[in-house]
Structure formats: C-alpha cells, structure tokens
Amino acid sequence: MNAVVILLIGIAVLIVGYLTYGRWLAKEWGIDETRTTPAHELEDGMDYCPAKAPVLLGHHFSSIAGAGPINGPIQAAVFGWVPVLLWVLVGGIFIGAVHDFGALFASIRHKGQSIGEVIADSMGLKAKRLFLIFSYLTLILVVAAFASIVANTFMATYDESGALDLAKSASNASTAMISILFILIAIVFGFLVYRKNAPLSVSTILGVLAIVICMVIGLNWHPLYLSQKTWMIIVGIYIAVASVTPVWILLQPRDYLSSFLLYFMMAVAIVGILGAGIMGQGSLDIPAFTGFVDSAQYGSGVSLGMLFPALFITIACGAISGFHSLVGSGTTAKQLDNERDARPIAYGGMLIECALAVISLCAVGYIWKEYVPGGITTPTAVFATGISRMCATIPFLKGAENVIYSMLILAVSAFCLTSLDTATRLARYMFQEFWLEPGQTYEDAKGIKKVLTNPYAATIITVVAGVALGMTGYAKIWPLFGAANQLLAALGLIAVATWLGKVGKNNKMFLIPMAFMLVVTIVSLIQTIIAKVGAIQAGTDFGWNIALVVLAILLVVLAIVLAIDGVKSLTAKKGN
C-alpha cells in the first residue's frame, strides 16, 4: 500500500465526518451561539477566563494530544494497517469525537463544571462520587506516566563508571533547555495578550519567531545535565505551580503556542508523505492484516494479545480517550467564549488527532523492515525516523533529515509536558469536588474538608502521589493506564447519554459506543488481573503486581456500579 493513498483517504473521510455528522450532532443537541457561556458568566481570572477560539483550540488540542495519537497506532500496527485505519476513522468520527463534543456541551450547560457534576445531576450524588474516585485514580496514573516520560526525555545518561556520557546526553539536555525557554516565552505571550491587549495575530507571529529563537539557543547551549530523579522532582514542582496559576498566565498561552509545534509537525509529515509519493518512494511494507493474535514477532517482541480487546485499548487518543472528557469539561468548558466554538474545538480537535494517528501509521509502515526485528521500537523514535526519512526523499530536504528528526522529537516531548500540567489541574479539580456538596466552593467548606479542598493542599497531594508513582517507571504504569483511560471514556459516554435523556435531547448516538467501550475495557482489565495473578503465583515482582491487581479490581468494580446506575437512569427516562 502507498502512504499517499492511506493519508488522502484518511483526511477525506475525517473532513466528510466533520461536515456531516459533526454538524448533525450540533443541530440535534441545540448548540446556541446566543447563550452566555460559563467563561463569561463566572469569569474569575483564575479558572474561568474567556479565550479566543484559536487560542482555546490550541489549549484543547495540545492537552488531549500528548504522545497518545503517535504511540497507540504505532504499537497497534502489529495487527496490520487495515484494522488500525478502520478503528481510527470509524472510532474517531462515531465514538471519540462524539464523546469529546458531548462532554464539552454537557459541561458548558452545567456552568463549566466537570463530568462529575453532570453525573450528579442525572444519576445522583453517589454516582458522582464514584466517578470522581475513578477519574482521580486515572489522572494520578496520567501524571505518573507522563512525568516519567518527560523526565526520561530530559535526563542525562551515565556510563558504567558513573561518568556523564556527553554524546548520549546532549540531545536530552537540549530538549530540556528548549522546554524551559518555551515556558518563559508563554508567560510573556500571556501577559501581552491578556493584560496589554496586544493583537493576537501580531503576538502569534512574534511568539512563533521566539520559539524558533529558543530552539536555536537550546540546540547550541544546554548546560543542564541532571538525573532522571532530579528531573522528576523539578517536573513535580513545575506542575504544582502550573496547577494553581491563573490560566491566562501559563495554561492558555503555553498550550496555544505549543499547538503551532504540533501543526508544524503535522505539516512536515504531510509534506514528507506526499513528497515521498511523488518521488516514487512512498510504498509501505506493512501487511494489511497480520491476524487476530499478536504473535510478538513484530516490533518490541512483547505480545499485545488478541486483536479484541487489544486494538481498542492500545489506540486510545487516536480514536477515543476518556482523558479528553476531563479536559473538555475541566478546563476547556471554563474558557469557551461562544457555544458555536464547541464543535470545531471538541469534535474537530478529536478529528485532527485522528489525522495525526493516520500519519503515525504511515511512519511505522515506512520503516516496517526495521521495526519488525526490533531495530527501532520506541514509538516517538519510530515516528520521527519514518517521517524524516520520507522528507529526505525530497531533493531540497535531503540534507535536513537529522534536523527534522530532532524537531519532531522535541514537538512530541512538548506535548507530553502540556498534557501533564493539564492533567494535574484536572486532578486538583476532581479532588476538590469529591469533598464538596453540590453548589459549594472550597471557601464554603468547614473543618478538615476546608483543608483538603484548598487548591494548594489538593495540588500538593496530587503531585506527591503522581510523582511518587512515576518514580517506579513508565513501563509499569502504562498498561493499566490504557485500560483505565478507555474505561473512563465508557463512563463519560454513559454520563452524557444519561444527561441528554434527562433534558429530552437525542442520545441514541451514545448507546452503541458506550456499550462497546464498556465491554472492551472490562475484558482488558480482567485479562490484566488474570495475568498479574499468574505473575504473583510465580513470585515475579510480588509487591508491584499485588498493587496492580488491587487497583485493577477497584477500577472494574467502580465501572460496573456506575454502569448499572447509568442503565437504570437511562431506562427510567425512557419509561417516563
């Protein structure tokens, strides 16, 4: 198969989906551009802060993307390009984008509050608290996993004697330096746009130029060579500060400017794929379908198991991700300037992620012969290698392969950091909401609840728990995170469907997706429990596997209880 054909089919289908199904959803739900949004009604300069549509799309897209739409499709490519492409397109248009759009819409009709409040409204306070527990546990896994990824991207490497390996460490130190400079640029950008009312167009041009300058500086001057543990602590301090800082200072401007890195990355990838095709070098060696069971003969050599449920768990952000509902209802809803912006930001943002997933599929297919024997297996390296090599087939880019590779790696790491600080803020919201009664704020709480719901206390608890778990390593956390994240998506679908039914709006488009995702994720978690129990019996990593089994069981029980409550609520509405 040719990469150009896959890319063009993918983009065409996604555009048609946005223009038809996305528009139909907006009409069915009654998107009303004349309604005052929570960002204006409750504006406080801290969390509720109206943002221009391009800025908010930048925040939302940067926050939901991370490394997910790159990692998932590349890892799932062991089943062949056809299953991956079908799930990305069908899942993205009819499940993932519906989930994201519905979560944002429900939240803005609940004063910008989280999906937890939507559940409280339609399913009761008990269901809300169970959902908040589930969401908080999932977000702790997100913080742990992404903090570990970021620290690994920044850390210095030492040889067996304990001496610094400068050759291997320089690239990481460069990425770390650019990331630090990028944060400073974002703060200046936010001050100019939101406090000095500088024109967004002029500020954007200057901001992009500043990004280029900080890249040049970072590539040539990177004095910070620190250990993984040290970077974990620094990252923890950063996300703690970012979680309680007013959104206009850091969150909005950093995510907006970060989005240009992602747009650049996608533009370069599209140029590379089209260029390779024009030069007659765009063919992919990846099989259309390899079978219903991953035999571990491809890539890392570690089997994903059976296509069902592995495909639908592995490809999360590229098709559907529960984390997106928390972003949409946690930060995006508090910044939405007008309801008409909900469709391009939520539904459109998800489909842009799907496009990135299709690009990732092309990247792994292009270097399939090296991926198969395990020569290049790290998803970010696979992505950067595949795209940079396709770009190198274009005559005027032939000598830029190494530069393009470095830029792509930098862009991916920037999005991991963006998702990380957003997840921390969301976890803080969830922790506070759990202890409060409906309609309360932390200022209304009394006694120990007043302490626990204080933004600073909630943030410290979250960061300490996430970073401590992240110290155990990314590889141990990620498998459970994948299933928990997709189970969260199923619960998000149930929540929005139940609320839509309560207010008399069409919710039929949610019924099949929520049932499918619920079955997929519970089956995956049960498989994890069985595998870890076997490992415990074999005496392998005893303590850690016990912890994973307990957490997996807790997630399954919480999900089943919430699903039963959701079905009861849906049935009750239908019966009235």
Side-chain angles (χ1 to χ4, degrees):
M1 176 55 69
N2 192 285
V4 175
V5 175
I6 290 179
L7 178 67
L8 294 181
I9 289 175
I11 291 178
V13 170
L14 293 171
I15 291 174
V16 171
Y18 176 78
L19 295 175
T20 56
Y21 199 59
R23 182 175 295 164
W24 177 76
L25 291 174
K27 183 178 179 181
E28 284 292 300
W29 296 342
I31 293 294
D32 183 1
E33 63 181 52
T34 65
R35 285 180 68 109
T36 301
T37 62
H40 290 283
E41 181 185 353
L42 304 171
E43 184 173 0
D44 60 6
M46 176 74 171
D47 296 318
Y48 290 86
C49 185
K52 297 174 183 177
V55 176
L56 188 54
L57 175 61
H59 155 69
H60 183 80
F61 187 35
S62 299
S63 297
I64 66 173
I70 293 173
N71 287 11
I74 288 174
Q75 292 174 330
V78 294
F79 294 111
W81 68 265
V82 170
V84 172
L85 185 64
L86 286 176
W87 173 233
V88 166
L89 298 182
V90 176
I93 291 171
F94 296 105
I95 304 181
V98 176
H99 166 270
D100 292 14
F101 190 12
L104 177 58
F105 177 64
S107 179
I108 58 178
R109 292 297 175 92
H110 283 79
K111 298 186 176 182
Q113 294 175 309
S114 74
I115 289 295
E117 290 299 326
V118 177
I119 288 177
D121 179 31
S122 55
M123 294 166 58
L125 187 58
K126 183 195 80 172
K128 170 198 169 180
R129 285 182 170 155
L130 288 175
F131 180 81
L132 290 176
I133 292 171
F134 187 97
S135 301
Y136 187 73
L137 290 174
T138 303
L139 286 169
I140 289 295
L141 290 171
V142 173
V143 172
F146 280 89
S148 181
I149 291 172
V150 171
N152 288 344
T153 304
F154 292 171
M155 71 177 186
T157 302
Y158 298 87
D159 59 25
E160 295 180 356
S161 66
L164 176 68
D165 188 330
L166 192 59
K168 292 182 178 180
S169 302
S171 177
N172 284 8
S174 178
T175 302
M177 192 65 200
I178 293 172
S179 298
I180 292 171
L181 293 174
F182 188 81
I183 292 170
L184 298 177
I185 291 172
I187 293 172
V188 173
F189 181 90
F191 177 76
L192 292 175
V193 172
Y194 291 101
R195 286 298 176 267
K196 295 300 181 181
N197 295 315
L200 181 62
S201 56
V202 175
S203 300
T204 299
I205 293 172
L206 294 176
V208 172
L209 289 174
I211 292 173
V212 174
I213 292 172
C214 81
M215 286 181 177
V216 173
I217 294 172
L219 289 170
N220 292 279
W221 183 65
H222 34 78
L224 299 177
Y225 291 87
L226 307 173
S227 68
Q228 194 263 1
K229 184 176 181 179
T230 302
W231 276 119
M232 284 290 288
I233 294 171
I234 293 173
V235 167
I237 294 171
Y238 164 73
I239 60 178
V241 174
S243 174
V244 294
T245 301
V247 292
W248 65 266
I249 293 178
L250 184 58
L251 188 72
Q252 284 182 353
R254 201 181 90 82
D255 292 356
Y256 174 63
L257 292 176
S258 291
S259 68
F260 284 95
L261 283 175
L262 187 50
Y263 300 148
F264 165 79
M265 180 175 73
M266 292 183 68
V268 168
I270 291 171
V271 168
I273 293 171
L274 295 178
I278 293 171
M279 300 305 297
Q281 300 181 51
S283 61
L284 305 179
D285 296 314
I286 183 174
F289 180 59
T290 62
F292 289 99
V293 179
D294 174 19
S295 60
Q297 62 177 312
Y298 303 108
S300 65
V302 178
S303 175
L304 294 179
M306 299 181 66
L307 185 144
F308 181 90
L311 176 73
F312 310 102
I313 295 297
T314 306
I315 302 177
C317 292
I320 177 171
S321 167
F323 178 59
H324 294 188
S325 69
L326 302 185
V327 174
S329 68
T331 55
T332 305
K334 293 178 176 64
Q335 302 171 60
L336 193 75
D337 183 55
N338 191 293
E339 276 198 11
R340 66 168 175 265
D341 299 333
R343 179 166 72 105
I345 289 171
Y347 196 91
M350 179 66 239
L351 297 191
I352 295 174
E353 255 202 301
C354 293
L356 181 55
V358 173
I359 290 171
S360 300
L361 176 61
C362 294
V364 67
Y366 195 73
I367 63 166
W368 187 250
K369 289 182 178 177
E370 290 179 65
Y371 184 71
V372 168
I376 304 175
T377 59
T378 304
T380 50
V382 171
F383 179 83
T385 301
I387 297 303
S388 61
R389 287 188 185 176
M390 281 191 269
C391 289
T393 64
I394 305 172
F396 64 87
L397 292 177
K398 191 171 184 179
E401 181 176 340
N402 291 335
V403 174
I404 293 173
Y405 178 91
S406 298
M407 294 288 285
L408 294 174
I409 291 290
L410 173 64
V412 174
S413 67
F415 289 106
C416 287
L417 195 57
T418 299
S419 296
L420 178 60
D421 57 34
T422 299
T424 308
R425 183 178 287 261
L426 293 173
R428 189 252 293 178
Y429 292 157
M430 296 290 174
F431 190 86
Q432 290 176 285
E433 278 188 36
F434 178 81
W435 302 104
L436 297 173
E437 299 299 324
Q440 272 192 328
T441 68
Y442 76 91
E443 295 176 345
D444 303 319
K446 305 292 184 182
I448 187 63
K449 288 186 178 181
K450 190 170 186 67
V451 176
L452 292 172
T453 57
N454 181 281
Y456 301 102
T459 298
I460 291 171
I461 292 169
T462 299
V463 171
V464 170
V467 171
L469 184 60
M471 292 283 192
T472 65
Y474 153 81
K476 290 182 177 180
I477 301 163
W478 194 258
L480 186 58
F481 160 69
N485 180 54
Q486 296 302 72
L487 195 47
L488 182 61
L491 299 179
L493 290 166
I494 292 172
V496 178
T498 306
W499 172 72
L500 286 171
K502 178 184 176 181
V503 298
K505 296 183 182 292
N506 185 1
N507 66 357
K508 292 182 176 62
M509 69 288 292
F510 282 89
L511 302 183
I512 293 176
M514 73 185 194
F516 177 74
M517 293 307 299
L518 197 61
V519 171
V520 163
T521 48
I522 289 180
V523 169
S524 177
L525 280 169
I526 290 174
Q527 288 180 342
T528 298
I529 292 169
I530 293 172
K532 296 305 176 185
V533 168
I536 291 169
Q537 291 174 340
T540 305
D541 210 352
F542 189 79
W544 179 251
N545 282 320
I546 286 180
L548 287 179
V549 168
V550 171
L551 186 54
I553 292 173
L554 178 60
L555 293 176
V556 170
V557 171
L558 287 172
I560 291 175
V561 172
L562 281 168
I564 292 173
D565 285 349
V567 170
K568 286 180 179 178
S569 299
L570 285 170
T571 304
K573 304 308 171 191
K574 287 183 178 180
N576 287 339

